[in-house]
Amino acid sequence: MLNGQLLEEAMQRACVIARRGPADTPNPQVGCVLVDAAGRIVAEGWHLGSGTPHAEIAALATARARGVTDFSELTAVVTLEPCNHTGRTGPCVAALKAVRIGAVAFGSTDPGALSGGGAGALAAAGIPVKAGVGKLSTDVLRSDWLRRVGGGSKTGNLGGAAGADALSRPYTIAKWAQTVDGRAAASDGSSQWITGAAARADVHLRRAAADAIAVGTGTVLADDPSLTARGVNGELLVPAREQPRPVIFGKREIPAAARVNSHPAGAPIRKHGTDLLKDLNELKAQGINTLFVEGGPTLISALLALNLVDECLIYIAPALLGGKRHAIGDIGVESIAEIKRFSAVETRQLGDDLLVRLVMKEALGVYGAD
């Protein structure tokens, strides 16, 4: 079995490609990548909708087309537990066993009474299985499907797994980079680059898994961001049509020549930001299920103050800036009794920098359906 970081990175990719499948059918969006012992992706696949091959089957077919005949050293990394029943297609468990896959890692369990139980069947066949890899991200991916199918229907008895109080707004991630003393910019306003290349690469991988990237007009005017998910050489990490949509909060006009106006996924979605909950609900209605908020401090602080942030990604550089340019501002906390508590889900070293990932306890309650 691969180490935890390689599995997490592979799962990020699986979440990205899962979104290529339809989001309005009785079937969930699922992605699968096959990786070798070094964590390199050998093949990948995603589910295209009811009656089509499941993600695991699609990935195996791609691998065979590329000449792979020995699967014993490969790990299948899947966003959802492989199914263990025959419906309109055959069981993925049987296909994985047939090729003698080396190991299987998945994020969320399949709660279906008929389709679930794949992990146990794989383990019984002697295949190493690791559950819960990138679970929060895969639970978010799975959540709309669970709400769609409700308490039964074509996936078997899901019971209360869908959660009656599921959020009507996107799962909202606030990301910022800061120094160890909590500053996001120098006194003159310059901020590029606080963190190093490894941290920036991680940000772009996470951007690619989101439906939209949001900033305030202040960030557009100060930094002229492109708001795309890119590789280390500036290439698009995912095709233009799959790039996260750009969203701009604020009333100020932005220059016609701003790079965001040439975004490959289309023109920016504009929101005034005077009623952030209403804005987020409208984004959800437009099909944006995951919103990646990149700044600036004014927008992120306003969302935090209203308890509209589910997750924080804080990239911390081992450096000091001092001054008044704090990464976040007033978030509505007047006393220690009002402190905003998160659950620390992950810390990761990225080059010289540290990523701290925090998730609101309420978000874990909504999305952690297992």
Side-chain angles (χ1 to χ4, degrees), residues 285-306:
Q286 291 176 264
I288 293 173
N289 297 313
T290 307
L291 182 67
F292 198 84
V293 183
E294 292 241 16
T298 301
L299 175 60
I300 288 177
S301 299
L303 290 166
L304 285 167
L306 294 170

Side-chain angles (χ1 to χ4, degrees), residues 8 31 89 167 271 307 360:
E8 290 282 348
T89 60
L167 299 174
K271 296 293 179 185
N307 296 318
M360 284 294 289

Side-chain angles (χ1 to χ4, degrees), residues 1-8 10-11 35-39 72-78 101-106 122-123 126-133:
M1 184 71 70
L2 298 177
N3 69 44
Q5 182 163 335
L6 289 177
L7 288 177
E8 290 282 348
M11 188 61 78
V35 293
D36 64 17
S72 63
E73 298 298 320
L74 300 183
T75 298
V77 180
V78 197
I101 195 74
V104 175
F106 67 91
L122 290 166
I127 297 173
V129 179
K130 184 174 180 62
V133 176

Side-chain angles (χ1 to χ4, degrees), residues 140-275:
V140 171
L141 180 68
R142 183 186 65 165
S143 62
D144 277 342
W145 166 63
L146 290 177
R147 286 195 289 272
R148 271 200 318 277
V149 299
S153 119
K154 299 180 181 179
T155 60
N157 181 21
L158 298 180
D165 58 348
L167 299 174
S168 61
R169 58 173 177 81
Y171 182 83
T172 301
I173 302 166
K175 166 265 170 184
W176 68 85
Q178 66 173 60
T179 56
V180 136
D181 58 341
R183 269 59 178 184
S187 295
D188 65 358
S190 58
S191 61
Q192 295 181 328
W193 298 100
I194 287 176
T195 53
R200 296 197 297 274
D202 186 78
V203 169
H204 281 276
L205 285 173
R206 295 175 188 272
R207 279 184 176 189
D211 295 310
I213 302 174
V215 294
T217 52
T219 296
V220 175
L221 294 171
D223 298 337
D224 191 22
S226 61
L227 301 187
T228 52
R230 305 183 303 279
V232 293
N233 297 315
E235 75 282 6
L236 295 181
L237 274 179
V238 292
R241 67 183 182 279
E242 297 173 18
Q243 284 285 318
R245 291 288 305 275
V247 179
I248 301 173
F249 287 87
K251 297 179 180 179
R252 285 184 287 179
E253 293 297 321
I254 60 174
R259 288 195 292 175
V260 72
N261 286 328
S262 300
H263 196 281
I269 299 171
R270 294 298 306 266
K271 296 293 179 185
H272 281 174
T274 51
D275 186 339

